[in-house]
Amino acid sequence: MDLEELTARLEKISVGYGERLGFDRDPDWFLLKLQEEVGELTQAYLQHTGRARAKGATPDDIRATFHQEFADVLCQLLLFARRHQVDLPAEVDRKWLRYEA
């Protein structure tokens, strides 16, 4: 999956989401939405590890939700980076991949 293409597709979806719900995706929204999704991932992790109430969900449902929350966090992070013109592949190279042996 090409990261730039994915991010462009996510942008279109996100614009539509904002239009449908009638809010401005201002710079703060991107960070706040990312924080919201990290919180949801945390909640799903707690359920997945048996440290939060299942709220009637089956183990399979809990596992599926846990996995889906990773996608939400990744997508919001990509949108946040795009909004601030961060070249994530270049930054990953600079920050992480320079340590490859």
Side-chain angles (χ1 to χ4, degrees):
M1 183 180 302
D2 177 80
L3 206 52
E4 278 189 46
E5 178 187 335
L6 173 62
T7 304
R9 291 171 65 191
L10 296 172
E11 179 68 17
K12 288 179 186 175
I13 293 166
S14 181
V15 166
Y17 176 76
E19 289 172 353
R20 276 192 312 281
L21 296 178
F23 64 86
D24 181 30
R25 297 174 326 127
D26 65 14
D28 290 344
W29 179 83
F30 287 88
L31 179 58
L32 294 171
K33 189 66 176 170
L34 176 59
Q35 286 298 118
E36 176 188 11
E37 295 302 345
V38 170
E40 290 176 7
L41 175 61
T42 302
Q43 176 63 33
Y45 175 73
L46 291 172
Q47 285 181 323
H48 182 67
T49 58
R51 293 181 277 174
R53 292 177 291 125
K55 299 180 183 177
T58 68
D60 286 342
D61 291 339
I62 290 170
R63 185 173 190 270
T65 298
F66 177 52
H67 289 189
Q68 290 166 4
E69 291 303 333
F70 279 94
D72 287 347
V73 169
L74 175 63
C75 292
Q76 285 305 141
L77 179 62
L78 291 172
L79 290 168
F80 187 44
R82 177 186 173 107
R83 178 64 172 225
H84 291 281
Q85 300 166 348
V86 175
D87 181 347
L88 280 176
E91 297 306 328
V92 168
D93 282 344
R94 237 186 314 278
K95 182 76 178 184
W96 284 81
L97 298 183
R98 67 188 177 119
Y99 296 109
E100 280 184 320

